[in-house]
Amino acid sequence: MRYCRDMHGYGQTPPAAQWPGNARLAVQFVLNYEEGGENCVLHGDAASEAFLSEIVGAAQWPGQRHWNMESIYEYGARAGFWRLHRLFTEKQLPVTVYGVATALQRSPAQVAAMLEAGWEVASHGLKWVEHKDMGPEEERAAIAEAVRLHTLVTGERPRGWYTGRCSINTVDLVTEAGGFAYISDTYADDLPYWYEHGGRQQLIIPYTLDANDMRFATPQGFNSGDQFFSYLKDSFDALYAEGAAGSPKMMSIGLHCRLIGRPGRVMALARFIDYVQSHEKVWIARRVDIAEHWAKTHPPQPVTERPSQMPEADFVERFGGIFEHSPWIAQRTFAGELSPANDTAIGLHAALTFQFRAASEEERLGVLVAHPDLAGKLAQAKRLTASSTEEQASAGLDALTDEERARFTDLNSRYVEKFGFPFIIAVRDHSRSGILAAFETRMKNDRDAEFITACCQVERIAFLRLAAMFPDGEGRHARDQQTAA
């Protein structure tokens, strides 16, 4: 039972982007060029286009041309593109074009203008059609043909990829194809990240569907340029403030020639560009520039231990002692659902603790009983587990005075007699005197209350053990986070 989606990502502490010039935010404008690559029977498609136009709620017309739809797309190529080209070149802004290969082939003047302006032309696939029902072999062939055609049209192989109307296989297939500085078919983060498939590390630069003019053509979208500008401004302000606070991010703005290229909308984009340019420490870049920076500043790291991908025997051997002498908890955890979110100290602790809490009271009592007395006979005989030995030593319980040892012996005896299990406390959280004080206090509990308290301490001990096993940054942050909680 393995859940492949990564719901953890960078967690609470994303990496420092270190954008050029110590920029607080990297801003990236994407111009989607799809006109001439959309669904059309002239292109060999089964039906007309129905996506992202002024005809909200349009449906495909099987076997027929849709004159209105075609002319709306034609507007993007004939008028919208040039309006946007003038705006961006006058503002001297770098742009990334997501170019559908067949659309680029049908627009030689526009391609020449893109290249002359120094814009990056990334691949937007072979055709602007749905890929969700394509089999892997068909989509693999479409990717290869898109690269071939793109290279012939522009004179250069694309270094970036975004299908958009993708399938569940798209990112893996493009990764397999290789040769791409980045893929953008995800919306999962505000920063680039590395994705592993087939032993290859592929850089992902997430895209956006919210800071995107496509919402002019969707229900519950933007009705006016003012709404678009307001949303972009609020997004920019939030991210800029995070960058000023020490956590720079990336903001992508998605644009379409036939949508934002309309006169009633383009002025909102112009106002937003002016707003961005009025701020200091903003890096406006092409996506390939961001990719190159990230690959240099945050190169892929060797794959570390991933509990969710370990064989069962290795998993149980590695984590079977997290709960004292209770490997059955690790066994049940392995048999349950694990995902990338469980490949951290916090995540794996949650999965192990879930099984501990789900166990019967008798089973949980067995875990409590498996714990050794503090400074007891097992410690003196050096028969503790390595973890218990280290933990007790961390609080100085291996160097007691005769008086302290006698006090621990007395407390241990009275505690076990009253509750039926040894006194358990996460000694790393306490000094020797603090442990003795907790001992005295908890002796006053009734059995039910102390059983709950002891179980909580077992969970805490398990967490501290896990935190020590993970890389320093992850473990240290996890300990701090749990301590604060």
Side-chain angles (χ1 to χ4, degrees):
M1 297 176 64
R2 294 297 176 266
Y3 189 69
C4 60
R5 296 170 64 197
D6 184 355
M7 311 299 281
H8 181 74
Y10 288 125
Q12 189 172 342
T13 54
Q18 301 179 48
W19 301 130
N22 294 318
R24 297 171 180 173
L25 179 61
V27 174
Q28 207 288 297
F29 293 92
V30 170
L31 182 58
N32 292 266
Y33 198 87
E34 300 153 352
E35 290 77 8
E38 79 278 13
N39 280 287
C40 179
V41 295
L42 294 176
H43 305 160
D45 300 310
S48 62
E49 185 56 72
F51 193 45
L52 293 187
S53 78
E54 303 301 326
I55 311 173
V56 178
Q60 286 191 312
W61 291 3
Q64 297 183 54
R65 291 178 64 185
H66 192 317
W67 187 265
N68 290 346
M69 183 65 72
E70 289 181 20
S71 65
I72 288 171
Y73 270 75
E74 289 162 13
Y75 181 93
R78 294 163 56 118
F81 171 81
W82 296 110
R83 182 170 289 119
L84 295 170
H85 180 266
R86 288 193 296 272
L87 174 63
F88 283 119
T89 53
E90 288 171 2
K91 300 290 185 181
Q92 298 183 331
L93 289 181
V95 173
T96 289
V97 175
Y98 286 164
V100 173
T102 50
L104 295 176
Q105 185 182 24
R106 295 182 173 112
S107 297
Q110 292 89 333
V111 171
M114 297 173 193
L115 298 178
E116 184 180 0
W119 294 358
E120 175 203 2
V121 185
S123 180
H124 199 5
L126 178 63
K127 299 172 68 174
W128 179 231
V129 298
E130 192 61 73
H131 290 68
K132 67 181 180 64
D133 297 319
M134 285 188 184
E137 288 306 315
E138 181 184 2
E139 187 173 4
R140 184 179 285 112
I143 292 168
E145 178 61 11
V147 172
R148 186 190 74 84
L149 188 59
H150 184 110
T151 304
L152 293 175
V153 170
T154 68
E156 187 175 47
R157 188 190 190 282
R159 298 182 61 196
W161 181 277
Y162 175 72
T163 296
R165 298 161 82 170
C166 64
S167 77
I168 194 67
N169 300 310
T170 299
V171 173
D172 287 346
L173 291 174
V174 178
T175 300
E176 288 177 10
F180 291 97
Y182 68 90
I183 299 172
S184 288
D185 276 298
T186 80
Y187 314 93
D189 214 297
D190 294 314
L191 287 172
Y193 61 90
W194 294 97
Y195 174 82
E196 182 189 6
H197 173 71
R200 174 177 287 167
Q201 294 272 22
Q202 173 64 58
L203 184 63
I204 303 294
I205 301 184
Y207 188 45
T208 178
L209 295 181
D210 67 311
N212 192 312
D213 69 357
M214 67 175 285
R215 293 182 58 199
F216 282 116
T218 60
Q220 195 60 28
F222 303 125
N223 290 321
S224 69
D226 287 343
Q227 291 178 346
F228 184 52
F229 171 77
S230 179
Y231 191 85
L232 294 183
K233 177 181 178 297
D234 285 348
S235 300
F236 177 89
D237 288 346
L239 293 170
Y240 191 80
E242 290 181 13
S247 184
K249 303 293 194 319
M250 178 184 72
M251 180 181 178
S252 298
I253 299 98
L255 306 168
H256 299 76
C257 300
R258 63 192 175 278
L259 296 177
I260 199 65
R262 292 282 175 174
R265 297 174 182 143
V266 73
M267 296 307 295
L269 176 61
R271 290 197 299 274
F272 177 68
I273 291 172
D274 289 341
Y275 185 73
V276 171
Q277 292 185 323
S278 71
H279 289 71
E280 64 174 0
K281 294 187 178 298
V282 176
W283 182 39
I284 304 176
R286 302 175 306 171
R287 293 178 88 74
V288 70
D289 301 325
I290 293 173
E292 290 174 351
H293 168 82
W294 201 266
K296 179 180 179 180
T297 309
H298 301 282
Q301 300 300 309
V303 177
T304 56
E305 182 177 69
R306 295 181 180 175
S308 66
Q309 298 181 19
M310 295 172 69
E312 181 176 11
D314 294 345
F315 184 91
V316 174
E317 180 181 2
R318 180 76 164 131
F319 306 112
I322 295 298
F323 283 79
E324 192 82 3
H325 295 296
S326 302
W328 59 268
I329 296 176
Q331 291 166 347
R332 292 183 188 179
T333 300
F334 184 88
E337 180 180 287
L338 291 175
S339 76
N342 301 118
D343 292 338
T344 67
I346 290 176
L348 185 54
H349 180 255
L352 291 163
T353 298
F354 180 92
Q355 297 299 335
F356 174 65
R357 294 173 181 172
S360 66
E361 182 172 337
E362 182 179 358
E363 288 174 317
R364 283 180 288 148
L365 176 60
V367 177
L368 301 186
V369 171
H371 277 260
D373 290 335
L374 292 183
K377 293 180 180 179
L378 288 178
Q380 296 177 40
K382 300 187 182 300
R383 293 174 54 197
L384 298 178
T385 64
S387 294
S388 290
T389 298
E390 183 181 358
E391 289 158 359
Q392 294 204 21
S394 70
L397 300 186
D398 60 342
L400 299 174
T401 65
D402 290 342
E403 181 180 353
E404 288 172 329
R405 186 174 293 104
R407 188 178 174 193
F408 268 105
T409 300
D410 174 61
L411 287 169
N412 281 330
S413 297
R414 290 193 289 118
Y415 184 95
V416 172
E417 182 178 354
K418 180 176 181 179
F419 298 113
F421 50 83
F423 177 75
I424 300 170
I425 192 170
V427 296
R428 291 189 184 277
D429 291 335
H430 302 275
S431 63
R432 191 165 18 182
S433 60
I435 293 170
L436 286 168
F439 224 143
E440 298 282 5
T441 300
R442 285 169 52 183
M443 283 289 293
K444 301 172 185 176
N445 287 342
D446 60 38
R447 205 269 182 184
D448 289 344
E450 186 56 19
F451 182 83
I452 294 172
T453 300
C455 286
C456 289
Q457 289 298 308
V458 164
E459 294 177 9
R460 175 64 178 169
I461 291 168
F463 175 77
L464 292 171
R465 290 177 177 180
L466 282 170
M469 296 170 70
F470 279 76
D472 286 347
E474 168 66 33
R476 189 183 310 110
H477 170 68
R479 287 193 296 272
D480 294 344
Q481 189 175 31
Q482 281 237 341
T483 300

